[in-house]
Amino acid sequence: MMTDSRIYTAALVIIGDEILSGRTQDKNVSQIALWLNIQGIRLREVRVVADDMDAIIEAVNILRARNDYLFTTGGIGPTHDDITVDAIAAALGVEVVIHPEASAVLHAYYETRGGINPGRLRMARVPDGADLIPNKMSGAPGIRHGNIFIMAGVPHITAGMLDALTGTLEGGAPLLSQQIGCWVAESEVAKLLGDTEKHHEGCQIGSYPFFREGKVGANFVVRTTDADKLAECVAALKLGLAELGYDTVDGGI
Amino acid sequence: MMTDSRIYTAALVIIGDEILSGRTQDKNVSQIALWLNIQGIRLREVRVVADDMDAIIEAVNILRARNDYLFTTGGIGPTHDDITVDAIAAALGVEVVIHPEASAVLHAYYETRGGINPGRLRMARVPDGADLIPNKMSGAPGIRHGNIFIMAGVPHITAGMLDALTGTLEGGAPLLSQQIGCWVAESEVAKLLGDTEKHHEGCQIGSYPFFREGKVGANFVVRTTDADKLAECVAALKLGLAELGYDTVDGGI
C-alpha cells in the first residue's frame, strides 16, 4: 500500500440542545470517527454546541480553518430550531438559497406523503455555492460546501450520508490499531506501557482499565499508520507483560 | 422555591484519544448534563480533545473563562497517556504537586492491592492549590481547582464523583422540561411549533423526529425555568396539535 506521510484531520461540530440537556445520547461521534479512520482521516476534535447562531458560527469558523474537513450533525430539519444552514451561511459570509435539485427531491419525496409545505421546503435551503449529499433514508439531503459537510442529527440518516460520501474524500494512510487485553491493574504496568511507547516511534499506546467479574483488567490499544511498526510494538508489549507474569488476550477482553 | 434569574453555565472537556478514535462511546456528556440540570446549572458547551497538552490547555483556558464551571473527564489514571493534571496545571500557570491527602488515600487503598508504586502515586499529583473530590469507587480522587472539576473518564467512577459534589455548587433555577409525543411528521407542524415558541417567552421547544413501527412521529420537548410558563406552553402546544387533528402522548412516545 502507498503510504502518505501527511496526516489528514477532521473536526466535528454536533449541534443540538438535546445533547447538551442530556436528553439524547450522542452516537454520531463514534460512527463518524470510525468512518473517518477508514477514509484515512483522523477525527482531531469535536465540539457540542447549542442551537445558537453565535455558538455555531464560532465553532465552524475556527475548526474549518485548522482541519482538512469539517463535519456538522444536527439542526437541518424542517422546524424553527433547525438553524444550522443559516449559521453556516453566516459563518461563510454567503446567502442562503433554495437549491433547485434539493427542492425537486423534496417535491418528489413528499408527493405521496402529504405534499410539500413551507416547513418541508426549508430543507432545500443551502448556503450559496453548496452541493448536495444524497440521503436515501428520508427526503432531505445533506449539504457540502467546500470542506464543510452538513449532516443529519439522526444517526441512521447520518450513516446513509456517510455511505454516500465513502471513497470521495482525500485521506492519508489509515490509522491502524490493535488491542490486547490483560487481567492486570494498569497501575501495575504503567512503566512498561510508557517505556514501550517511547521505544516504538510513531506508535501510541492507550490504556483502558475496567472492573468486571470482581477483577480489574485493562485493554491496551496500539495505534499507528505503519503495519510493521504496529506488529513490532504489540509483540514488544506482549513480551513485556509476559515477563512480568501476565497473560494477554489478543483482540482485548 | 426561590428563583434566581441568573443562568449558571458549565462547560465540559472530554479528554481522550479513545473517544476521537471511535473505540469508546462517550457516556459522560449525558450523565453530567442531567446531573448539572438538577444543580440548576446548564451545560452550555462540550469539547472532545486528544491526549495532547496544547489541545487540553486551549480548551480549558477558553472555557473556564466564559463559564461558571468547567468539568473535565479522562486522563487522570496512572499511565503515560494520562496527562490531564499536567495540562491543567500548565493552563493555570501553577506547579504540579503531590497532594498529601491523596497520597495517604492511595497508600491506604493499595495496601491490600499490591502496594503503592510510582504509577499509582502519579494519581496523587494535582495542580498546586487544588482540593480533592472523593472517589468511593476506586482509590484515585478527583480534583477541584477553583471553578475547574477534574473527573475520571470511566463513567461509573465519574458518577461517584458527581455524587460527592451534589449540592455543593451554586446554581440558579433548574431547567424544567416536559415532553409530549405525537404520531406526526414534524414537517407537518413546523409552523405551529415555531409560533407556539414565539408566543411563550422564555420557553424553548425542541422537536425530535423518529421513525418506528413503519410510521413517522416526533417528540416535542418544552424547556424553561418557570413551572407556570412550562404548563402554559405545553397546554398551548397540545391544543394546537389537537386542532390540527393530532392526538398527543404525555411524556413522549
Side-chain angles (χ1 to χ4, degrees), chain A residues 25-26 46 48 58 120 187, chain B residues 25-26 46 48 66 120 187:
Chain A
Q25 164 73 58
D26 169 73
V46 177
V48 187
E58 178 196 85
R120 288 167 172 174
S187 51
Chain B
Q25 164 74 57
D26 169 73
V46 177
V48 187
R66 70 184 188 194
R120 288 168 172 172
S187 51

Side-chain angles (χ1 to χ4, degrees), chain A residues 43-154:
Chain A
L43 182 58
R44 195 171 74 171
E45 47 192 332
V46 177
R47 296 191 185 179
V48 187
V49 300
D51 298 328
D52 175 270
M53 289 288 282
D54 292 339
I56 300 170
I57 291 168
E58 178 196 85
V60 164
N61 273 340
I62 291 174
L63 299 184
R64 74 187 173 101
R66 70 185 188 193
N67 289 280
D68 295 297
Y69 303 103
L70 172 67
F71 288 75
T72 72
T73 61
I76 63 167
T79 58
H80 64 285
D81 55 339
D82 292 307
I83 61 169
T84 298
V85 167
D86 301 83
I88 292 178
L92 295 170
V94 302
E95 296 294 306
V96 174
V97 299
I98 296 278
H99 193 291
E101 189 185 331
S103 174
V105 165
L106 289 164
H107 275 86
Y109 182 82
Y110 284 111
E111 194 170 1
T112 57
R113 293 174 176 86
I116 197 80
N117 65 28
R120 288 167 172 174
L121 203 56
R122 265 177 68 82
M123 297 187 282
R125 297 164 75 250
V126 302
D128 196 10
D131 296 317
L132 303 183
I133 303 170
N135 166 11
K136 285 174 279 189
M137 308 299 295
S138 63
I143 300 163
R144 173 178 185 162
H145 195 296
N147 70 338
I148 304 177
F149 297 79
I150 305 170
M151 325 271 289
V154 178

Side-chain angles (χ1 to χ4, degrees), chain A residues 191-245:
Chain A
K191 186 172 184 313
L192 171 70
L193 297 171
D195 289 349
T196 306
E197 183 180 278
K198 210 173 293 170
H199 293 139
H200 291 82
E201 212 191 316
C203 294
Q204 287 98 43
I205 302 178
S207 173
Y208 307 110
F210 58 80
F211 180 66
R212 270 182 234 157
E213 304 163 30
K215 294 185 290 181
V216 295
N219 285 305
F220 306 120
V221 177
V222 181
R223 299 185 183 95
T224 175
T225 54
D226 186 301
D228 292 339
K229 285 185 183 170
L230 181 66
E232 285 164 21
C233 185
V234 169
L237 183 56
K238 287 171 73 169
L239 182 64
L241 288 165
E243 285 173 355
L244 292 173

Side-chain angles (χ1 to χ4, degrees), chain A residues 16-31 33-34 37 42-51 58 62 66 77-82 110 113-115 117 119-120 122-123 154 156 175 179 185-190 193-194 197 204-209 211 219-221 223, chain B residues 16-31 33-34 37 42-51 58 62 66 77-82 110 113-115 117 119-120 122-123 154 156 175 179 185-190 193-194 197 204-209 211 219-221 223:
Chain A
D17 290 347
E18 72 277 20
I19 307 293
L20 291 173
S21 71
R23 177 190 180 276
T24 302
Q25 164 73 58
D26 169 73
K27 291 179 181 152
N28 281 322
V29 173
S30 61
Q31 83 162 340
L34 293 169
N37 287 344
R42 287 195 214 177
L43 182 58
R44 195 171 74 171
E45 47 192 332
V46 177
R47 296 191 185 179
V48 187
V49 300
D51 298 328
E58 178 196 85
I62 291 174
R66 70 185 188 193
T79 58
H80 64 285
D81 55 339
D82 292 307
Y110 284 111
R113 293 174 176 86
N117 65 28
R120 288 167 172 174
R122 265 177 68 82
M123 297 187 282
V154 178
H156 77 273
L175 187 65
Q179 175 166 279
E186 60 171 356
S187 51
E188 288 282 359
V189 296
L193 297 171
E197 183 180 278
Q204 287 98 43
I205 302 178
S207 173
Y208 307 110
F211 180 66
N219 285 305
F220 306 120
V221 177
R223 299 185 183 95
Chain B
D17 290 348
E18 71 277 21
I19 307 292
L20 291 173
S21 71
R23 177 190 180 275
T24 302
Q25 164 74 57
D26 169 73
K27 290 178 183 153
N28 282 323
V29 173
S30 61
Q31 84 163 340
L34 293 169
N37 288 342
R42 287 197 214 176
L43 182 58
R44 195 172 72 170
E45 47 192 332
V46 177
R47 295 191 185 178
V48 187
V49 300
D51 298 329
E58 178 196 85
I62 290 173
R66 70 184 188 194
T79 57
H80 64 285
D81 55 340
D82 292 307
Y110 285 111
R113 292 176 177 87
N117 65 27
R120 288 168 172 172
R122 265 178 69 81
M123 296 187 283
V154 178
H156 77 273
L175 188 65
Q179 176 166 278
E186 59 171 357
S187 51
E188 288 282 0
V189 296
L193 297 171
E197 183 180 277
Q204 287 98 42
I205 302 178
S207 174
Y208 307 111
F211 180 65
N219 285 305
F220 306 121
V221 177
R223 300 185 182 95

